[in-house]
Amino acid sequence: MYFLSGWPRRLLCPLRGSEKPFHIQADPRRLLFALLSQTQLSLWYGRPSVLIVCYKESAKAAAQFGTYEKTEWKSDSSMIAVATKNGYILLFDIVYSGQEKYLYEPVYPKGNQRVKVTTGYKEEQCAPSITVEMKKVLDFQAQITSLQSMQDDLVITTNDRILHLIHWDGLTNGRKAINLCSVPFSVDLQSSRGPSLDFECVCIQDMEYCATLDGFAVVFDDGRIGFITPESSKLTAEDFHGVWAQEVTDGTCVAINNKYKLMAFGCANGSVLVYTMDTTTGSMQLSHKLELTPKHYPDIWNKTGAVKLVKWSPDWSVAMVTWDCGGLSLWSVFGAHLFCTLGGDFAHYSDGTKKEPIKISSMSWGAEGYHLWAISSDNNNQQITSALENKSVIQQAEILQFQFIKSALTVNPCMNNQEQVLLQGEDRLYLNCGDALQNQNSSTASANSGHQPVREKNLLLDDILIPQGLSTLLGHRHWHVVQIHSTYLESNWPIKFAAIDHLGQCVAVAGKYGIAHYALFTRKWKLFGNITQEQNMAVTGGLAWWNDFIVLACYNLIDQQEELRLYLRSSNLDNVFAHITKVQADTLLINVFRDMVILFRADCSICLYSIDRNDNGPNPTASVQVLQEVSMSRYIPHPSLVVSITLTSVRTETGITLKMPQQACAAESIMLNLAGQLIMLQRDRSGPQVREKDSISKHKKLLPSCAPIVLAQCVENVWTTCRSNKHKRHLLEALWLSCGEAGMKVWFPLFPRDNRKPHSFLSRRIMLPFQINIYPLAVLFEDALVLGAVNETVLYDNLYVHNSENEPLEVLFPFCTVERTSQIYLHHILRQLLVRNLGEQALLLAQSCATLPYFPHVLELMLHEVLEEEATSREPIPDPLLPTVAKFITEFPLFLQTVVHCARKTEYALWNYLFAAVGNPKDLFEECLLAQDLDTAASYLIILQNMEVPAVSRQHATLLFNTALEQGKWDLCRHMIRFLKAIGTGELETPPPTPTTQEPSSTGGFEFFKHRSISFSQSTEGLSTGKFNLQKTLSMPSGPSAKRWSKDVDSAENMYIDEMLWRHARRLLEEMRLKDLSSFAAQLGFELIGWLCKERTRAARVEDFVKALKRLHKDFLWPFPVIPSCSFVNSPFKNGKYKTVGDQFLKSQSMETFANSELESGIINTRGSHICLGLNTAHGEMDSGSFQGPQTQDAILSPLLSKGDECSIGSATDLTETSSMVDGDWTMVDEHFSTLSLTPSELEYISMELANKGPCKSQVQLRYLLHIFMEADCLEWCTVTALILRDSAVMGQIISSIQRSEISNDILQGIKDGMLAVDGWASTDCPGYKPFLNRIKPQLQKLNKVTEEQIQPEAFQPSSRLSISKAVEPPSPWSEDSRNTVSHVNSSQNDNGGGISGQEDDGQGEEEEEPHVDEGSYECSLS
């Protein structure tokens, strides 16, 4: 509503004197401020804030009159009265020197356009020249206790219990004196006039006149409060009657709110009691209290002292309160607390020390409530004493000016756009709707004006009400600030009204005269081109937007006529383009509903107009026709009591009659806020219905209205919408109310389900109250959100040196900012419906909002609030709501998450109460496992750990651990390991955190390189010896997951966990899931090599080589090899001419890929004198393993321009259309290679071999697994891995290992049988493996020889087992006569460390003759 902005200003009086002001009073227009000191009367101007005149009493007169005490302005600001200590009233005339004479004038530089162009045109920057002349002195011969202006009379009370009424001209014959002792007082006006209830010895201490109640609110010197009203206009003692509040005895001051008919009485206990008059009995009824609560102000709430002052704002929407101990506090009209300076940064320095609250002796609101003028009382008595002793010390008057920004709803409660928050300050506007527009439009203010009509046509379409997106209205906490045009502001300050259109892109403001509007997409203001037209129009009833027209109610100063005007936004701001309709009476309020305008006029009548748009012509025009006039004088006692008026589509029978679409948004009722009382006047449809078109044709007379209905009390703001949404009818057809201290209320429609006939006992609508933590400024209907604003403070006192004598305002006050905020209200409505046994309606509403992103939070909030209230209640609850809420939440799939999240955020002591309603946590845990929601199950495990014995927790943790292992939830597995250990050792001091949802790993499940580094590098020893060396240097992870292996290894808990891990690893290996096994070992730090050594003869056996090979192809996305279209026998490599080049092409991918430390980026670095070919990585699916089945891609080879005898090429499967040719990925391979010429068949052969390779990442993973199996001597798995990699070098090393070490006969026989099975499978199903099997035939013959040496010949029976000899089986790739066919391949393997020479068949020759290869000697370093 009202928010502090920035730092307060400090105004210093240019006239230095020894007197400090102690009282300030603004004139009715709030442009002049009278300041009183002991013998001086000073007048200050509002804008600019300067001293105009100072009247100083002579010493002789001061001795006679005494010091000044109080002051009061005449209603027309032409006179001022001053009360003195000795009982005198001094009447002063305020005389303006002349219209063209100013005390202060702005000075502009030469050439500036802001100069006067109209004679008599006055800028507000010019302070007028004023003189103060004493007119008359009145002696009342008693101390004056209060002054009050009442129209043309001045009411004065004295301590002799006399109430005086005098004319402002000071004529004594019009003076009246009324003895308060003769005024009868009673509890209400209906009581008999009995005795005066002991008011004989009391006098009035404070008094204020209420025009709307026609009486005086008074505070007596004994603390009692009352209200005195005249029964006739004679104002004699016999005509007065008083009522008093029996329960109050400590009143200190009073302030009247004329718009809401409220009387605010300050009390000695620090609270403010707000009373209203009962219209039936005439008694004083307590409406609400303004008091600090111990919840928000525990240190000061009962130490504020007595209330010193209460001041209502000019628009009557807020009240400022100050106490004897100091401080300021702001409240809305019905008790919503906005801010207080007794807490937070206002009360403490940045170092934590406490500030002394500033004490206010007097305060007064400025024009339109943008400023609060306050005079601080002197806190330092020593300074006063020293100043009096030393006359040379000159003191300076000090005035504090607090700056405020306020909601536009306070003065212009238009309802046409309630999803925007619009705040208006003295010279700027704050909007929450500029974010999306700035993103959509990159044009600046200097954009070509020729494009503007196109832009406007796209943005401002007729009859389309499109709300802004949720991200736009809630994007961040900052505002879109629009500075009001300085030219308009200088001559028309202060800004009275502001409005924003329904798209949130155009704003309009109205000041003292004229209007101006601004478009966010052009960033330009439009002002009146003719200054005379601007100065001859004053907006009186507010302004609103209708599509791209500005609708306003104004007063024509020339014609002295009230008018309704429409200005087109895209046209020039000129009366030529305006549509003007004359209005009979003064307009107080205006509003727009669809194509209708509603006016509330000073004669208490309502007038309805229809607006029609006409697009014929160069500019669109609008026409206005009167629809209907309704007199409300019998219901409205005073026109100024009407706060807001609007048309709505709300009806009382919404719940029983499902309206037609054309009627869903029709104007059905008028909502009238009468002094906080919401009255609905709806159309009467009980008689015969007339079609809308017919009624319009007949002078557009609407249907008659029903009798008014009072819907609610204490209403500050109302929100409705004219949009319709069949999926969210509950929210869009509801009526939203802001009720101050009572929070919010919603008049909620009740719909029958599935269009069934409702029960007769159900109401059609229901009023649901709920509390919110922010002050509502707008309602997002579909999004179930309330938008608001809140004051934030920033301390800057650490930039200054603390000086208690004269501290700057930056030290005394924090810097105040206003930030956007929002709050969900849906859970409040659901709860209220459940309380009233309207669960079916609550379910309908919740289902319509289930798609909101914060709907899970809504359910959690509702459950948490009900649990906190019922579980902590000291009194037994006869009908608890928690079981109903729990049952309601089970209707949604988020039930399990909602319950556990609520429990985790609630104290442990309340868990039993919660789970008694929602169910046993063990059952809920099992439901999570069945639903595969492991993260939620982990949260329930923490609940069980606190509520059950350790054995139960261990049992459920084991279930969850095994399930997490199966699903690969590694983060959860690590938490479960810690959890299981803590259960056994009792070290679980804090519950393990609930793991978040695991995101897919960028490495496709392998995390080797997080804890280990593998280095495959060539060595000179390897080149000479030709051995395939794998050096193992293992270091376990140092993270939290590895601590289990280094501490308490032999403990029972570790053994228990190890058994589960071993069991899982054994199952993975038996199911041939090597990729899952590797991920499992890498993620959990599992000692895979040591475990494989133990399982070498058990789980690490391979029963079916073919099945294992197929599983590896599937898991690692490795393509099955295919045979080139050209015959292998006719291969261009048959003669061995290109054996080096060919095999370099075929095998370089296998090893050169490992030379790169950035494997995942697909970039291969240059090593030595070789220039490597770098290829971009394959598609993201290949890296993540998201596609299924083997795939091959055609190789793309670029011309090789370099020459050389060796080359290196990346994996052809990594070539995609996204590969970069510009970044140098295709590098010249070898400088001598261009001398070679390859035929198309040779290129096809090389391309096919490259296509048979799998992804680079899979190759790294398989090589790593091969290393692991070699270290663990799992030769069967080594053989399978070598087969899929088609690496003859590894086969050679396997044979060497068999020869060097003692291998069990079962393993040897398994390898032999497996290879025979693979050979048979390749012959029938996968011929692509035949070339490789032919290539490794010598190694297989060695395997056969070793087997025959270790196994007795009688063990082999030709009838039952296959033989590798030619005599037993048909010719096979292993036969002797097939060597010549593959001799070129064998010879080409000279460059592949495990290759076989074409001239030698024995293993000795193989080991002696191995030339330089890429796969020669490797060092595998795991760290």
Side-chain angles (χ1 to χ4, degrees), residues 38-225:
Q38 293 181 356
T39 60
Q40 289 181 356
L41 170 64
S42 303
L43 294 185
W44 286 67
Y45 197 63
R47 178 182 172 94
S49 301
V50 292
L51 176 65
I52 297 179
V53 63
C54 181
Y55 178 88
K56 184 173 177 59
E57 201 69 64
S58 63
K60 181 179 179 181
Q64 176 186 357
F65 301 146
T67 57
Y68 293 169
E69 290 186 344
K70 298 175 180 62
T71 184
E72 181 68 18
W73 287 87
K74 191 179 179 181
S75 58
D76 60 358
S77 301
S78 62
M79 294 183 66
I80 188 170
V82 177
T84 64
K85 186 176 181 180
N86 295 340
Y88 288 89
I89 291 291
L90 311 181
L91 298 178
F92 294 91
D93 277 334
I94 307 300
V95 181
Y96 288 83
S97 300
Q99 190 175 9
E100 293 297 326
K101 185 177 181 181
Y102 301 106
L103 188 62
Y104 297 91
E105 290 187 357
V107 178
Y108 298 114
K110 293 182 178 180
N112 193 296
Q113 298 179 357
R114 295 187 297 179
V115 296
K116 293 183 179 181
V117 294
T118 305
T119 304
Y121 170 65
K122 172 184 171 297
E123 291 182 339
E124 287 297 331
Q125 296 284 358
C126 305
S129 177
I130 296 177
T131 59
V132 177
E133 300 176 357
M134 181 179 290
K135 181 178 181 181
K136 195 157 189 172
V137 178
L138 300 177
D139 184 10
F140 288 88
Q141 299 178 356
Q143 184 178 358
I144 298 173
T145 57
S146 67
L147 284 177
Q148 183 65 41
S149 178
M150 187 180 68
Q151 300 174 358
D152 293 333
D153 294 328
L154 182 63
V155 182
I156 304 166
T157 60
T158 56
N159 61 355
D160 57 359
R161 300 179 296 278
I162 301 297
L163 188 146
H164 304 270
L165 283 85
I166 64 171
H167 292 297
W168 268 101
D169 55 10
L171 297 178
T172 56
N173 56 0
R175 178 172 173 176
K176 296 180 181 179
I178 301 171
N179 191 343
L180 293 178
C181 297
S182 61
V183 177
F185 278 85
S186 59
V187 177
D188 55 57
L189 295 179
Q190 292 181 347
S191 301
S192 59
R193 297 197 175 193
S196 58
L197 297 179
D198 299 330
F199 279 98
E200 291 86 357
C201 301
V202 297
C203 63
I204 295 177
Q205 176 180 318
D206 194 12
M207 176 183 64
E208 192 164 340
Y209 177 70
C210 181
T212 54
L213 291 175
D214 192 19
F216 300 91
V218 296
V219 177
F220 297 98
D221 57 358
D222 63 351
R224 286 185 285 184
I225 60 176

Side-chain angles (χ1 to χ4, degrees), residues 148-445:
Q148 183 65 41
S149 178
M150 187 180 68
Q151 300 174 358
D152 293 333
D153 294 328
L154 182 63
V155 182
I156 304 166
T157 60
T158 56
N159 61 355
D160 57 359
R161 300 179 296 278
I162 301 297
L163 188 146
H164 304 270
L165 283 85
I166 64 171
H167 292 297
W168 268 101
D169 55 10
L171 297 178
T172 56
N173 56 0
R175 178 172 173 176
K176 296 180 181 179
I178 301 171
N179 191 343
L180 293 178
C181 297
S182 61
V183 177
F185 278 85
S186 59
V187 177
D188 55 57
L189 295 179
Q190 292 181 347
S191 301
S192 59
R193 297 197 175 193
S196 58
L197 297 179
D198 299 330
F199 279 98
E200 291 86 357
C201 301
V202 297
C203 63
I204 295 177
Q205 176 180 318
D206 194 12
M207 176 183 64
E208 192 164 340
Y209 177 70
C210 181
T212 54
L213 291 175
D214 192 19
F216 300 91
V218 296
V219 177
F220 297 98
D221 57 358
D222 63 351
R224 286 185 285 184
I225 60 176
F227 182 78
I228 302 175
T229 177
E231 296 183 357
S232 67
S233 59
K234 298 180 180 180
L235 295 181
T236 60
E238 292 77 12
D239 295 325
F240 276 97
H241 185 83
V243 294
W244 62 294
Q246 304 179 65
E247 63 275 8
V248 181
T249 58
D250 61 346
T252 58
C253 59
V254 65
I256 291 296
N257 190 320
N258 282 293
K259 196 173 193 65
Y260 290 89
K261 298 194 297 184
L262 297 176
M263 299 172 285
F265 294 93
C267 299
N269 62 0
S271 64
V272 178
L273 306 179
V274 183
Y275 279 85
T276 184
M277 295 298 295
D278 188 349
T279 56
T280 304
T281 63
S283 61
M284 296 176 62
Q285 287 188 345
L286 179 65
S287 173
H288 56 277
K289 295 182 180 180
L290 311 180
E291 57 185 1
L292 301 180
T293 60
K295 178 181 178 181
H296 299 98
Y297 300 92
D299 299 331
I300 197 67
W301 69 277
N302 57 352
K303 302 176 183 177
T304 58
V307 176
K308 187 174 183 63
L309 292 171
V310 180
K311 295 291 182 180
W312 292 99
S313 62
D315 53 27
W316 311 107
S317 59
V318 295
M320 184 68 76
V321 180
T322 183
W323 296 273
D324 285 343
C325 78
L328 293 170
S329 184
L330 192 66
W331 313 77
S332 72
V333 61
F334 287 111
H337 192 207
L338 300 178
F339 77 86
C340 180
T341 63
L342 294 178
D345 291 340
F346 288 99
H348 297 86
Y349 293 105
S350 56
D351 57 2
T353 58
K354 193 171 181 60
K355 296 180 184 177
E356 188 69 24
I358 185 169
K359 296 182 180 180
I360 304 297
S361 63
S362 182
M363 60 184 177
S364 182
W365 287 95
E368 298 298 326
Y370 294 129
H371 299 110
L372 179 72
W373 295 58
I375 298 177
S376 59
S377 58
D378 202 336
N379 297 328
N380 196 337
N381 295 328
Q382 295 181 356
Q383 290 185 1
I384 298 178
T385 305
S386 61
L388 294 177
E389 293 176 354
N390 186 7
K391 297 298 183 182
S392 61
V393 177
I394 300 177
Q395 296 187 358
Q396 208 166 10
E398 181 177 300
I399 307 167
L400 295 180
Q401 193 181 73
F402 295 90
Q403 304 175 66
F404 288 88
I405 59 177
K406 64 178 182 178
S407 170
L409 294 175
T410 57
V411 288
N412 194 35
C414 292
M415 309 295 293
N416 64 329
N417 187 5
Q418 298 302 340
E419 295 196 355
Q420 314 291 344
V421 177
L422 176 62
L423 304 182
Q424 59 188 70
E426 181 185 18
D427 57 353
R428 66 199 65 193
L429 303 174
Y430 295 78
L431 297 82
N432 72 328
C433 52
D435 312 326
L437 185 67
Q438 295 180 20
N439 296 333
Q440 296 170 4
N441 180 27
S442 60
S443 63
T444 61

Side-chain angles (χ1 to χ4, degrees), residues 1293-1344:
Q1293 186 176 5
I1294 293 173
I1295 301 301
S1296 300
S1297 299
I1298 294 175
Q1299 292 175 341
R1300 289 195 303 268
S1301 59
E1302 295 183 359
I1303 305 298
S1304 65
N1305 297 336
D1306 294 341
I1307 295 178
L1308 291 176
Q1309 190 65 35
I1311 296 176
K1312 178 182 175 182
D1313 295 346
M1315 292 301 299
L1316 290 174
V1318 170
D1319 182 65
W1321 168 71
S1323 301
T1324 58
D1325 296 334
C1326 189
Y1329 267 108
K1330 297 298 291 184
F1332 176 70
L1333 293 176
N1334 293 335
R1335 190 189 312 164
I1336 63 173
K1337 178 177 168 291
Q1339 287 92 325
L1340 299 179
Q1341 289 178 343
K1342 289 182 182 180
L1343 174 64
N1344 186 36

